[in-house]
């Protein structure tokens, strides 16, 4: 659970404390197995028991208890077993269950279109193409938008459907209800009011009142993500922390650029620290990728990174060389007896090989995602604990901040000339006066005046 989210959103903390009290084995809402059609559902509760418990526990009226129970259902803490589209508490014998904490809003799992597409594809397989009207519209829209990786989505849906069939029937029904309740809360049908979109109190009707601004949950989720990102990258933001040894954009020192070249021999400590933030940061840095390649080579699994780089080259390369690169990747990594054969499951291999008959930029997306997740979950963690990374971290340098001397501002030539004239005047007034020179100048002026009439 996010500490930032709970600190910024105390109402969620209170709601979860209520949920923990309701699930207490001794003082909470009494649950018992209930028969639903032909299946016995364990730990089911009724709507009237929920309203009665809220009324007795908090000494409130029945109407207020019903509103509080409806809010718990609207936010996905309790889900109905029968009427899934109406997220309200019915004060009767209608059956409900407590949602698993994995799907609670405070967990802040990102509601991604890929996961929703997999869920709809799995329902389409289970229902044999018979979906609700709004689900069919969403399914077609996602199919059109994610056409480049739809094979991967269908493959994941089939795997989840196959794994679900291996469960016992009560467990399978419970999990399906949990998953459906999660998506009804976060992707509600048209015409329903969503608590995730219209605030905590679930009082705003978008059809009658004008909604101005974002909902509280979206704002606080965005705020918590921003705080987490800012805390992580605080020292690496050039606006918040100085560039070491100096900023080459405002000084004449270009040492920073030389220390952070793509394939520098010894990286800086801040650069190595970024590799630990995420696997994507490591792969985005050419120097970090070289270090990770050395680690994989020692573990005899360097073909995984080589395949990922080949897929990136195919994805971002020119269209003229796309077919040749796709065939080269197939011969090097995928064909039987390939020199650098990679280990992927049979269904992913089948989808990839089928797509290579008509190659495009994203034909290797499913296999690349499989290898990326394999390296992220397995190799990346061992790399951070390996002697290769520790040696690089030990040899990394931390340059000292360059201290520049302060330059005196230059004086304008006009001011310099004025100062020189003032200095000459001051010296002239303070020095001794030669009286003979002054008298000779006056006598010469008198002679010139006397001779002037004769000349005329």
């Amino acid at each position: 659970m996010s500490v930032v989210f709970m600190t910024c959103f105390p109402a969620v903390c209170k709601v979860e404390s209520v949920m923990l009290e309701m699930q207490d084995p001794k003082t909470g809402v009494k649950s018992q197995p209930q028969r639903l059609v032909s299946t016995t559902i364990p730990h089911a509760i009724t709507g009237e028991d929920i309203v009665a418990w809220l009324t007795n526990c908090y000494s409130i009226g029945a109407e207020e208890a019903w509103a509080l129970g409806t809010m718990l259902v609207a936010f996905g803490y309790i889900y109905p077993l029968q009427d899934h589209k109406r997220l309200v508490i019915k004060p009767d014998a209608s059956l409900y269950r407590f949602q698993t904490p994995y799907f609670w809003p405070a967990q802040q799992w990102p509601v991604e279109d890929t996961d929703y597409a997999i869920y709809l594809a799995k329902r389409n397989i289970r229902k044999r193409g018979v979906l609700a009207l709004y689900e069919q519209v969403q399914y077609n829209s996602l199919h059109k938008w994610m056409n480049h990786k739809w094979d991967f989505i269908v493959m994941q849906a089939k795997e989840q459907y196959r794994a679900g069939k291996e469960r016992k029937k009560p467990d399978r029904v419970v999990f399906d209800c949990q998953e459906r309740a999660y998506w009804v809360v976060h992707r509600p049908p048209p015409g329903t009011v969503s608590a995730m979109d219209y605030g905590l109190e679930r009082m705003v009707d978008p059809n009658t009142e004008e909604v101005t601004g974002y909902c509280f949950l979206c704002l606080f989720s965005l705020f918590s993500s921003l705080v987490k990102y800012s805390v992580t990258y605080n020292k690496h933001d050039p606006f918040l922390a100085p560039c070491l040894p100096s900023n080459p954009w405002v000084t004449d020192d270009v040492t920073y650029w030389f220390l952070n070249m793509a394939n520098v021999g010894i990286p800086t400590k801040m650069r190595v620290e970024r590799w630990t933030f995420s696997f994507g940061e490591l792969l985005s840095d050419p120097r970090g990728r070289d270090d990770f390649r050395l680690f994989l080579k020692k573990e005899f699994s360097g073909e995984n990174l080589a395949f990922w780089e080949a897929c990136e080259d195919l994805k971002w390369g020119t269209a003229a060389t796309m077919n040749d690169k796709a065939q080269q990747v197939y011969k090097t990594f995928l064909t039987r007896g390939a020199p650098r054969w990679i280990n992927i499951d049979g269904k992913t291999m089948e989808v990839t090989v089928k797509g290579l008959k008509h190659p495009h930029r994203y034909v290797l997306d499913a296999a690349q995602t499989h290898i990326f997740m394999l390296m992220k979950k397995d190799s990346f963690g061992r790399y951070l604990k390996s002697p290769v990374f520790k040696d690089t971290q030990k040899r990394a340098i931390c340059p000292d901040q360059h201290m520049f001397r302060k330059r005196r501002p230059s004086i304008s030539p006009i001011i310099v000339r004025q100062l020189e004239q003032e200095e000459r005047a001051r010296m002239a007034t303070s020095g001794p006066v030669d009286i003979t020179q002054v008298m000779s100048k006056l006598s010469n002026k008198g002679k010139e005046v006397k001779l002037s009439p004769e000349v005329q």
Side-chain angles (χ1 to χ4, degrees):
M1 186 180 299
S2 175
V3 178
V4 177
F5 185 81
M6 299 301 291
T7 304
C8 300
F9 212 162
V12 175
C13 185
K14 294 180 181 179
V15 170
E16 294 192 359
S17 64
V18 172
M19 293 302 303
L20 294 177
E21 292 180 9
M22 294 180 69
Q23 298 182 61
D24 188 272
K26 297 181 180 179
T27 61
V29 182
K30 301 300 180 182
S31 63
Q32 57 185 352
Q34 296 285 347
R35 191 170 184 83
L36 182 65
V37 190
S38 61
T39 307
T40 302
I41 305 298
H43 305 293
I45 54 180
T46 62
E48 57 185 359
D49 289 340
I50 296 175
V51 174
W53 187 90
L54 292 173
T55 303
N56 297 330
C57 184
Y58 297 104
S59 302
I60 56 179
E63 185 176 354
E64 190 175 357
W66 174 84
L68 179 58
T70 298
M71 187 191 72
L72 296 177
V73 176
F75 281 98
Y77 291 100
I78 302 174
Y79 64 90
L81 291 174
Q82 295 164 313
D83 192 357
H84 300 280
K85 295 182 180 181
R86 297 190 62 192
L87 299 179
V88 296
I89 281 288
K90 297 179 180 180
D92 51 20
S94 301
L95 298 181
Y96 297 85
R97 286 189 91 253
F98 294 112
Q99 181 67 282
T100 176
Y102 180 84
F103 291 119
W104 283 4
Q107 298 294 341
Q108 301 182 85
W109 301 124
V111 186
E112 297 181 351
D113 291 333
T114 302
D115 297 332
Y116 189 49
I118 294 174
Y119 165 74
L120 291 179
K122 183 170 60 175
R123 278 186 58 81
N124 190 51
I125 295 173
R126 185 186 302 116
K127 297 292 184 179
R128 297 182 181 180
V130 182
L131 295 176
L133 181 59
Y134 79 96
E135 290 180 336
Q136 189 65 46
V137 173
Q138 292 286 342
Y139 182 84
N140 296 334
S141 177
L142 292 172
H143 188 188
K144 183 178 180 180
W145 181 52
M146 298 182 176
N147 188 38
H148 63 280
K149 59 176 181 179
W150 195 253
D151 292 338
F152 172 74
I153 291 174
V154 173
M155 180 190 66
Q156 292 291 330
K158 290 181 178 179
E159 285 291 329
Q160 294 184 16
Y161 177 71
R162 183 186 58 81
K165 292 185 67 175
E166 296 178 357
R167 298 189 183 99
K168 295 180 180 179
K169 188 175 182 180
D171 296 337
R172 184 169 67 250
V173 172
V174 167
F175 181 77
D176 292 342
C177 292
Q178 288 175 347
E179 193 176 24
R180 183 188 303 172
Y182 174 81
W183 288 114
V184 168
V185 170
H186 291 85
R187 296 292 175 88
T192 60
V193 181
S194 172
M196 296 295 110
D197 292 334
Y198 301 106
L200 285 175
E201 299 178 355
R202 196 177 172 84
M203 289 295 188
V204 180
D205 187 355
N207 299 319
T208 58
E209 298 184 18
E210 182 180 359
V211 179
T212 59
Y214 296 99
C215 67
F216 290 125
L217 282 178
C218 293
L219 281 176
F220 281 111
S221 177
L222 177 63
F223 175 73
S224 61
S225 300
L226 180 61
V227 170
K228 181 179 179 181
Y229 181 87
S230 300
V231 171
T232 304
Y233 289 88
N234 183 21
K235 298 180 181 179
H236 301 265
D237 193 331
F239 288 99
L240 302 178
C243 299
L244 298 178
S246 63
N247 191 340
W249 293 103
V250 297
T251 65
D252 295 333
D253 186 13
V254 295
T255 308
Y256 177 81
W257 285 336
F258 284 105
L259 293 177
N260 291 275
M261 289 192 301
N263 295 311
V264 68
I266 301 178
T268 61
K269 288 187 178 296
M270 294 186 66
R271 187 173 180 178
V272 175
E273 184 183 1
R274 288 180 69 99
W275 301 349
T276 63
F277 293 164
S278 65
F279 187 55
E281 284 283 353
L282 177 65
L283 293 184
S284 63
D285 189 346
R287 180 61 181 80
R289 215 157 53 233
D290 291 341
D291 207 59
F292 186 58
R293 184 182 294 107
L294 178 61
F295 165 75
L296 293 179
K297 184 178 180 181
K298 292 185 177 182
E299 290 206 341
F300 303 99
S301 57
E303 64 278 357
N304 292 333
L305 182 59
F307 175 74
W308 183 88
E309 291 178 331
C311 293
E312 288 293 302
D313 185 37
L314 174 64
K315 188 182 299 183
W316 303 105
T318 59
T321 61
M322 188 172 58
N323 293 334
D324 296 337
K325 288 181 179 179
Q327 295 301 324
Q328 184 64 29
V329 170
Y330 175 74
K331 295 178 181 178
T332 306
F333 300 98
L334 300 175
T335 187
R336 185 175 299 177
R340 306 195 70 181
W341 184 77
I342 59 173
N343 185 16
I344 58 177
D345 60 275
K347 291 191 175 180
T348 305
M349 179 70 76
E350 182 181 354
V351 170
T352 304
V353 173
K354 182 180 178 180
L356 284 172
K357 296 179 180 179
H358 304 283
H360 51 85
R361 292 186 182 277
Y362 304 100
V363 68
L364 301 173
D365 196 32
Q368 185 186 17
T369 303
H370 180 85
I371 294 298
F372 178 86
M373 298 303 298
L374 179 65
M375 293 190 296
K376 178 181 178 181
K377 294 181 178 179
D378 183 39
S379 303
F380 179 58
R382 288 187 286 107
Y383 162 72
L384 296 179
K385 301 177 182 178
S386 66
V388 175
F389 176 73
K390 292 181 179 179
D391 182 62
T392 304
Q393 196 175 32
K394 183 178 179 181
R395 292 187 299 108
I397 60 176
C398 183
D400 297 329
Q401 186 174 2
H402 192 94
M403 304 301 294
F404 294 94
R405 295 180 180 179
K406 294 184 178 180
R407 298 179 181 178
R408 295 182 179 179
S410 60
I411 304 176
S412 173
I414 299 176
I415 299 178
V416 173
R417 193 176 304 113
Q418 291 177 354
L419 293 176
E420 290 178 352
Q421 292 176 358
E422 292 176 0
E423 182 67 19
R424 290 198 199 101
R426 187 179 63 82
M427 292 297 295
T429 56
S430 62
V433 179
D434 189 357
I435 192 62
T436 58
Q437 294 181 0
V438 175
M439 295 303 294
S440 62
K441 291 181 179 179
L442 291 175
S443 61
N444 292 334
K445 289 182 179 181
K447 291 179 181 181
E448 293 177 358
V449 172
K450 292 178 180 181
L451 292 174
S452 59
E454 298 177 354
V455 174
Q456 294 176 355

